[in-house]
Amino acid sequence: MTRTPIRVPLGEDGVEVRLLDQGQDTTQVDAYWMRCAPHTTRHAEPHTSGARETLTLISGTLEAGPEGETLPLSAGDSLTFDADRHHLYRTGDTWATLLVSVIYHEEPAS
């Protein structure tokens, strides 16, 4: 399975994303640092089938998760959700900084 890591230039739509590491094991895990400006909504495309995403908020407040099922987060909160659906990150009045990990499900060999 070939995946392309998220690449968002500094400041695009109020969101900065940096790839921290991209695992090469059978169960691949990607780790990102993300910072979102106040009053920003970032709509994310689904990852591959079976992918799970975990967010840990470092600072600020954030509403995040699958579209239609988002939850509010404060600094220190974590959220894990099925990321093979459209999902979003939405800030309120403050900046939000978070760590994001994506675990990709591997299909068993036939």
Side-chain angles (χ1 to χ4, degrees):
M1 168 174 58
T2 302
R3 295 174 294 70
T4 304
I6 299 169
R7 297 182 193 279
V8 176
L10 173 63
E12 180 180 301
D13 297 325
V15 177
E16 180 183 358
V17 179
R18 292 184 192 158
L19 177 65
L20 298 174
D21 202 356
Q22 188 171 40
Q24 299 301 315
D25 293 323
T26 301
T27 299
Q28 188 161 350
V29 179
D30 293 349
Y32 298 90
W33 173 90
M34 182 185 297
R35 188 161 192 242
C36 305
H39 306 288
T40 297
T41 300
R42 179 173 189 264
H43 294 273
E45 292 295 317
H47 297 285
T48 57
S49 180
R52 304 267 300 154
E53 188 164 315
T54 299
L55 315 175
T56 300
L57 197 61
I58 298 169
S59 64
T61 59
L62 183 74
E63 177 186 346
E67 291 192 15
E69 299 176 23
T70 58
L71 294 172
L73 302 172
S74 297
D77 290 344
S78 292
L79 173 65
T80 299
F81 57 90
D82 294 330
D84 54 1
R85 326 169 18 191
H86 289 276
H87 49 286
L88 64 83
Y89 315 87
R90 179 180 296 128
T91 58
D93 295 334
T94 62
W95 284 86
T97 302
L98 57 151
L99 294 174
V100 179
S101 63
V102 182
I103 300 174
Y104 294 92
H105 173 75
E106 283 288 325
E107 292 295 325
S110 309

